[in-house]
Structures are given as structure tokens and as C-alpha cells.
Amino acid sequence: MNQKEFMQVVNPFKDKVFRMAKRLLVSTEEAEDATQEVMVKLWKKNESLEEYKSVEAMAMTMTKNYCLDQLKSKRASNLTIVHNNFTDREAGLQQKIEDSDTWNWVEKIINDLPEQQKLIIQMRDIEEMEFEEISKVLEMNEQAIRTALSRARKVIREKMTKTHHYGIG
């Protein structure tokens, strides 16, 4: 089979091969590479292509297998990259001490808040209750709860900023 005959056999389904590769590999460049690779493999078998009932079916199978191989090798290389980049996420002793100290400061600041704000912070941020539930418990309007929560958080944020930046600048 010469090049012209080969192109007459392959051209009708060449776009179909590309679309399948694109669907599996997502990337246009990778799909183009896959299509080219399948066409090269078909060309290498050009003398025996006439023996197959459907060259298109064989090309589609080759495309599927090539793309799946590419995905497997990509996944394997991603796993090694992830594995090589793995670091211990556990905080060091210094960080644990600083976190503990920060929580102690936040606790002191919360205790100094007005009673209503203290309750709202406790229910919303610590107990993770919904505004509707807090509204029923405290018999308050939801908007008033949001406002009080915002003010309480602002006080905490300002006092923590002041504490952490003490003596700096």
C-alpha cells in the first residue's frame, strides 16, 4: 500500500481518532500527539492493513489503549512527584507553644467582652450554631446577632493585633 492509498483509508476516521484522544486526554496537544502516534503505528502496519475487517475499529482501539497508557504514566509520575514533595504537616514545638499562647489570649479577650457578645461568639464560632438557632435561644433578631458578632470579632481582632504587634514599629 502506497502513501496515497494509506491516506484514502485513514482520512475518513482521522478526526474521529483525534476527538476520542481529546476526550480521554483533555489537552489538545496531547490529543494531537496521540493521533500522530496512532497514524505512525498504522503506517508501520500498512502492508497488513487490508487483512483487517475494519481499520477504523483497529485505529480507535489503538487510540483508546495509547491514551489510557498515557494517563497511567502521567498518574504514576504525579504520584512520585507528590511522594517526593511530601512533608510532615505536624506543627513544630515552637508553633504549638505559639498557638497555645494565642488561644489563651483569645480566651481572655472573649471573657472581657460584654455578656451578650460573649454568648454569641460562644454559640456561633465555638459551638458552630446557625443564626436561626442563636436567635431562638437568645430571643433576638438575627440581624442584631450578626451585628453583635461582627463587633465582637472586631474587638478580638484589634486586641490580638495590638498584642502581637506590641513593641514592633
Side-chain angles (χ1 to χ4, degrees):
M1 176 181 296
N2 66 29
Q3 186 177 356
K4 188 177 180 182
E5 292 169 333
F6 176 78
M7 291 308 291
Q8 286 175 340
V9 170
V10 168
N11 267 342
F13 60 82
K14 191 169 139 186
D15 289 341
K16 202 171 180 182
V17 166
F18 172 78
R19 286 193 303 272
M20 178 182 228
K22 176 97 165 78
R23 192 174 314 119
L24 290 168
L25 298 174
V26 180
S27 164
T28 303
E29 292 80 17
E30 289 179 359
E32 288 170 351
D33 290 346
T35 303
Q36 187 175 11
E37 191 65 34
V38 169
M39 293 303 143
V40 168
K41 286 180 181 179
L42 286 174
W43 175 251
K44 287 180 181 175
K45 294 183 176 205
N46 74 350
E47 296 302 320
S48 62
L49 283 181
E50 292 151 357
E51 297 171 14
Y52 295 98
K53 286 183 183 175
S54 172
V55 177
E56 180 179 346
M58 184 178 76
M60 297 306 283
T61 302
M62 289 169 70
T63 304
K64 178 192 73 165
N65 291 339
Y66 178 83
C67 292
L68 293 177
D69 288 346
Q70 290 299 107
L71 290 170
K72 282 179 192 173
S73 69
K74 190 185 297 182
R75 192 174 303 131
S77 68
N78 284 347
L79 286 175
T80 53
I81 290 170
V82 169
H83 181 71
N84 290 340
N85 290 338
F86 178 75
T87 56
D88 189 10
R89 302 231 186 259
E90 178 107 9
L93 181 61
Q94 179 72 25
Q95 186 64 47
K96 287 179 182 177
I97 292 169
E98 286 178 18
D99 290 347
S100 174
D101 189 42
T102 299
W103 279 114
N104 289 336
W105 276 105
V106 170
E107 200 172 3
K108 286 178 188 174
I109 295 168
I110 290 173
N111 288 334
D112 291 342
L113 290 172
E115 199 61 38
Q116 187 182 53
Q117 288 181 357
K118 194 187 313 185
L119 284 171
I120 292 171
I121 284 280
Q122 175 71 32
M123 290 179 182
R124 179 67 182 163
D125 292 341
I126 298 170
E127 308 284 332
E128 298 180 349
M129 292 172 67
E130 296 296 324
F131 286 108
E132 188 179 333
E133 294 173 288
I134 298 170
S135 144
K136 288 177 185 171
V137 171
L138 298 179
E139 297 174 352
M140 286 176 65
N141 179 339
E142 280 188 43
Q143 189 55 46
I145 292 169
R146 290 177 196 275
T147 303
L149 179 63
S150 175
R151 289 180 181 157
R153 287 176 176 167
K154 183 179 179 185
V155 168
I156 294 169
R157 185 172 37 256
E158 287 172 352
K159 288 188 177 184
M160 285 304 296
T161 302
K162 195 175 182 180
T163 300
H164 283 306
H165 293 298
Y166 177 74
I168 299 175

